[in-house]
Amino acid sequence: MKGMKLFQTIQIRLIIIYVLLILIAMQLIGVYFVRTMERSFIDNFSSSLQTQAGLLAELIDMDQYTGTGEPPEGSEQDEGKKSIESLNSIVSSLFDISAAEIQIIDANGIMLSTSLKSNESNVGQKNLRSEVISALQGIKDNESELVDSTGERKKVVAQPISNGTKVNGAVYIEASMEPLYKTMNGINKIFLTGTIFALVLTAALGVILSNTITNPIKEITRQATAMAEGNFNQVVRVKGPDEIGQLGNAFNYMTDRLKEALALNEEEKEKLASILSNMNDGVIATDDRGKVIVINRRARQMLRIGNSEVRNQEIWEVLGMPREAVESHVHGQQQMALVHIGEDEEEEPVTIRIMFTPIYRRDKGTAVGTIAVLQDVTEQEKLEQARREFVANVSHELRTPLTTIRSYLEALDDGAVGDPVLAHRFIGVTRNETERMIRLVNDLLHLSRLDSRKAQMAKVRTHVPDMLEEVADRFSFQLQQKQIRITIDVDREIGEVKLDRDQIDQVLDNLVSNAIKYTPEGGSIQIYSKKLDGDWMEFRVQDNGIGIPKKDLARIFDRFYRVDKARSRSMGGTGLGLSIAREIVKAHGGTITLDSEFNRGTQVVFTLPLLKWEGEAV
Ligand code: ADP
């Protein structure tokens, strides 16, 4: 496997290509060169043998040697013998061809002489080789190759000897070709060594040259891997203007562009994330299957899901709505829904308005998801509710006295007017009810002025102890009637201050009147006033009356809120006294709190800024 991998590298492939090219080239050259040389050697060798055989054939006059078979006379016989010997000497000395055997053959094919000593025993025997037979038939340049019993390769040539008219013998040469083949082998070896040397050199050069191609590619690969891992700070070194250099330049350019694009993308993402997280509205985005892909901090807060992972959850699950309802809001006409969160939890429930907007793909027009925008409308809902309640309360508060008045007027009309005592009582009731209505309308007008900030502040010089005394004086009749004791205790530090006397009188009147109303006979009321840290003063109206149950404390300052409606009304209360007091204190920048224990008593504390009267020590 590893070997296979090695072959998959460009470097190895290039080296193999180089080596194969050189090998093929050398082989082609070698085969052609060696073959041509071998042929030329052999041809030269043959032609030189033929030439020599031809020369010998020219030189030898066979007529001198023929007749050896006949029984000649003494002298002739001696001459013939001489002739054979001279022939032998010619054969062995004149054409001394190394490792070659020269035979002179007569017209009958009988060997007359041989240059090879070891073959002399065969003199007189017939040479039956086809070349000899052809030569004796007058054919020139006979030749062939043979391999003898020892495995030696030999060249055989035969030339006819003629006396001008007829062929009377042949020269036969058998020469070893081994030296020739040895030379050839030597040349082959040189060629082989050269080839191996060239291959090694090519392989080495291949490594170096292929490195110049593969190294930049490897570097670009490394860079691409680093980029894939998010590192865009590396640069490919460009070494030249060639194709790889151009690739490197293009790659570096691409890296820069990608870096820019990613940075831009990141910036956009951050912007979007910061917009989403700082938005006052909650945002939830889903994919085409309705699974949550984005949810911002505000949406988490509103839905009270903290940091729990909701991505990939269905939006209807996250919103706590039925799936069909969400689908009908997304695709239907009515894209708005109201949900109430935390109704069964301890925390105050919130009302959320959700706007569903499907997102469509620009090109195809198919929905790719939904955006749900969440708005906390709890306050709005509360206000709306309060307004509804207020209208209902006002109508109710007015209807009761009006109904009473109408019934009394009807009774008068029906004849009661004739009875002076009854008529007087009935008129008294209607007057009371009318006064209550006037009080109610006055209170409402007062509240409305305070709400619309139209009530002008008229700060006047006020002596606080005197102001409190006057409040007590105003209620002296009721106090006396109910035998309620009142004590006033003012901090010495508080003397003359600047405040809106009429408004503060109104607050004190409301509080003291409540204290009297809700304290049984024989009870007691205390009014305190003291200086607080900083320039603030505190007023406290305390009674030991019927008190207020805990559950009602939270809403006690609400308009028309009364603990016991029937009793309050019978006492002439409108349910607006505490709200008016709170609005006035608020308008002065102070705070008002009510603390009460059922059946034990109530205390209302309010603070006001302490503004010294010019020139007066406080
Ligand atoms: P009302 O005109 O009915 O007195 P307020 O706004 O002044 O209206 O008071 C609202 C309700 O608060 C009263 O109906 C009464 O039930 C309760 N309340 C106010 N002051 C006292 C108090 N000092 N002791 C007991 N209950 C009080």
Side-chain angles (χ1 to χ4, degrees):
M1 221 36 220
K2 208 174 173 194
M4 279 307 287
K5 261 195 178 162
L6 200 66
F7 277 105
Q8 282 166 5
T9 65
I10 290 182
Q11 192 168 23
I12 295 294
R13 280 193 214 160
L14 281 174
I15 295 169
I16 290 172
I17 290 169
Y18 284 152
V19 168
L20 280 178
L21 283 177
I22 292 294
L23 203 66
I24 291 166
M26 292 300 266
Q27 279 300 312
L28 286 178
I29 294 168
V31 167
Y32 176 73
F33 176 72
V34 169
R35 286 277 154 261
T36 314
M37 201 169 64
E38 192 181 313
R39 190 88 329 266
S40 146
F41 275 10
I42 291 170
D43 286 353
N44 280 346
F45 188 66
S46 317
S47 72
S48 110
L49 281 182
Q50 292 286 15
T51 313
Q52 285 175 28
L55 279 175
L56 207 58
E58 290 287 319
L59 209 71
I60 293 167
D61 181 5
M62 279 303 281
D63 287 341
Q64 289 179 21
Y65 314 113
T66 48
T68 48
E70 292 167 28
E73 287 167 30
S75 60
E76 279 177 350
Q77 207 174 23
D78 284 346
E79 264 184 42
K81 249 187 179 176
K82 259 186 212 165
S83 299
I84 294 291
E85 273 162 20
S86 67
L87 195 62
N88 283 344
S89 79
I90 291 167
V91 167
S92 55
S93 61
L94 266 179
F95 294 96
D96 187 12
I97 302 164
S98 59
E101 180 189 4
I102 302 167
Q103 291 178 14
I104 307 296
I105 288 155
D106 72 3
N108 298 318
I110 293 177
M111 186 202 300
L112 295 179
S113 172
T114 175
S115 63
L116 197 67
K117 288 272 178 279
S118 57
N119 205 19
E120 269 178 0
S121 58
N122 288 332
V123 171
Q125 285 186 12
K126 214 169 176 167
N127 187 333
L128 295 171
R129 285 200 63 84
S130 60
E131 297 81 15
V132 174
I133 294 164
S134 302
L136 289 176
Q137 286 169 359
I139 299 166
K140 288 186 171 181
D141 300 337
N142 302 292
E143 66 172 86
S144 73
E145 281 175 27
L146 63 88
V147 180
D148 72 4
S149 53
T150 60
E152 200 176 350
R153 282 166 290 186
K154 289 185 167 168
K155 188 86 192 170
V156 172
V157 298
Q159 286 286 17
I161 305 171
S162 76
N163 59 1
T165 52
K166 65 172 187 149
V167 174
N168 53 8
V171 174
Y172 173 84
I173 303 177
E174 196 179 298
S176 171
M177 290 172 81
E178 285 310 318
L180 188 143
Y181 279 112
K182 228 183 207 166
T183 314
M184 282 301 301
N185 273 347
I187 291 169
N188 272 346
K189 268 184 195 153
I190 292 169
F191 205 81
L192 192 71
T193 324
T195 305
I196 291 168
F197 185 69
L199 284 178
V200 171
L201 204 70
T202 308
L205 273 174
V207 171
I208 296 165
L209 288 175
S210 59
N211 263 345
T212 61
I213 298 170
T214 56
N215 278 355
I217 294 176
K218 279 184 196 163
E219 195 174 332
I220 292 174
T221 310
R222 260 201 305 278
Q223 164 90 356
T225 315
M227 253 167 71
E229 283 162 6
N231 179 0
F232 289 89
N233 295 326
Q234 289 188 9
V235 181
V236 174
R237 271 171 293 145
V238 177
K239 286 176 184 152
D242 58 3
E243 286 86 343
I244 291 181
Q246 285 167 17
L247 176 65
N249 275 331
F251 198 85
N252 285 339
Y253 178 64
M254 185 183 79
T255 310
D256 285 347
R257 294 303 308 267
L258 256 176
K259 206 165 139 182
E260 272 171 32
L262 276 177
L264 208 69
N265 200 6
E266 205 60 31
E267 207 177 295
E268 290 298 320
K269 255 173 139 182
E270 269 169 31
K271 266 192 224 162
L272 192 66
S274 89
I275 290 172
L276 276 177
S277 67
N278 290 309
M279 259 173 84
N280 209 25
D281 292 343
V283 175
I284 300 178
T286 73
D287 60 12
D288 54 342
R289 289 165 303 156
K291 301 222 169 186
V292 174
I293 48 174
V294 170
I295 177 164
N296 74 347
R297 191 177 44 84
R298 186 75 184 108
R300 284 177 178 280
Q301 267 175 8
M302 285 187 200
L303 298 170
R304 297 184 181 166
I305 49 178
N307 286 328
S308 52
E309 185 53 86
V310 289
R311 256 173 253 180
N312 279 332
Q313 266 186 36
E314 308 270 357
I315 188 167
W316 54 270
E317 259 179 281
V318 178
L319 294 174
M321 289 171 74
R323 179 201 285 261
E324 303 74 44
V326 172
E327 275 167 9
S328 77
H329 283 304
V330 173
H331 304 295
Q333 295 288 314
Q334 176 76 15
Q335 295 188 323
M336 200 196 78
L338 274 185
V339 285
H340 302 280
I341 303 286
E343 273 175 324
D344 28 64
E345 290 169 23
E346 275 181 17
E347 268 181 84
E348 209 186 319
V350 287
T351 309
I352 297 173
R353 186 167 57 205
I354 308 173
M355 284 290 296
F356 293 95
T357 315
I359 318 166
Y360 293 102
R361 189 173 297 181
R362 216 179 299 161
D363 49 348
K364 290 182 185 161
T366 50
V368 288
T370 306
I371 296 258
V373 178
L374 285 72
Q375 282 173 325
D376 186 346
V377 289
T378 317
E379 278 308 310
Q380 235 168 294
E381 281 288 301
K382 265 192 197 161
L383 278 176
E384 192 60 26
Q385 183 63 22
R387 194 188 58 81
R388 278 195 295 266
E389 271 175 25
F390 183 76
V391 172
N393 280 332
V394 171
S395 324
H396 181 77
E397 291 297 328
L398 288 174
R399 199 182 56 184
T400 318
L402 282 171
T403 318
T404 316
I405 291 169
R406 189 179 61 184
S407 58
Y408 279 93
L409 287 177
E410 275 169 4
L412 284 170
D413 199 23
D414 287 347
V417 74
D419 180 344
V421 181
L422 210 58
H424 185 69
R425 200 154 63 85
F426 282 10
I427 287 168
V429 173
T430 51
R431 185 190 293 122
N432 276 345
E433 287 303 310
T434 313
E435 273 167 12
R436 205 154 78 85
M437 279 199 297
I438 291 170
R439 252 199 330 275
L440 182 75
V441 172
N442 280 341
D443 281 356
L444 283 172
L445 282 173
H446 195 169
L447 264 177
S448 149
R449 271 203 305 277
L450 288 166
D451 281 346
S452 58
R453 314 244 180 274
K454 278 187 188 150
Q456 292 284 317
M457 285 253 216
K459 288 190 175 146
V460 292
R461 178 183 186 172
T462 309
H463 189 256
V464 175
D466 286 355
M467 177 178 76
L468 297 181
E469 287 293 343
E470 279 169 36
V471 173
D473 286 349
R474 277 202 292 279
F475 289 96
S476 58
F477 178 69
Q478 280 125 299
L479 288 166
Q480 224 173 0
Q481 264 195 332
K482 286 185 90 175
Q483 293 170 2
I484 294 172
R485 265 183 306 111
I486 189 157
T487 51
I488 296 167
D489 187 359
V490 184
D491 202 334
R492 276 189 185 191
E493 284 180 86
I494 305 176
E496 285 199 319
V497 296
K498 256 196 317 187
L499 49 76
D500 186 329
R501 175 75 188 260
D502 285 348
Q503 305 242 33
I504 301 305
D505 266 345
Q506 170 94 58
V507 175
L508 288 166
D509 284 358
N510 285 357
L511 299 184
V512 173
S513 107
N514 276 350
I516 297 170
K517 268 193 277 183
Y518 305 109
T519 302
E521 287 189 6
S524 66
I525 297 172
Q526 287 96 38
I527 305 177
Y528 299 100
S529 178
K530 66 174 183 185
K531 185 184 177 297
L532 296 179
D533 288 344
D535 287 334
W536 286 94
M537 55 184 169
E538 181 188 271
F539 292 87
R540 181 194 305 243
V541 179
Q542 196 172 345
D543 64 62
N544 60 353
I546 58 169
I548 301 165
K550 274 243 155 5
K551 64 174 178 52
D552 296 301
L553 286 176
R555 298 196 59 196
I556 207 73
F557 286 102
D558 289 359
R559 291 170 191 191
F560 297 110
Y561 192 82
R562 284 174 287 204
V563 176
D564 181 345
K565 281 195 167 51
R567 190 162 63 174
S568 159
R569 200 170 290 131
S570 71
M571 289 183 179
T574 58
L576 295 173
L578 284 179
S579 351
I580 291 174
R582 185 178 62 173
E583 294 308 324
I584 293 172
V585 172
K586 247 168 56 183
H588 277 80
T591 55
I592 184 164
T593 55
L594 184 144
D595 199 9
S596 179
E597 215 174 307
F598 192 50
N599 282 335
R600 298 289 290 272
T602 305
Q603 64 165 4
V604 184
V605 180
F606 68 92
T607 58
L608 291 175
L610 176 57
L611 300 169
K612 287 182 287 177
W613 183 251
E614 296 281 304
E616 293 287 327
V618 180

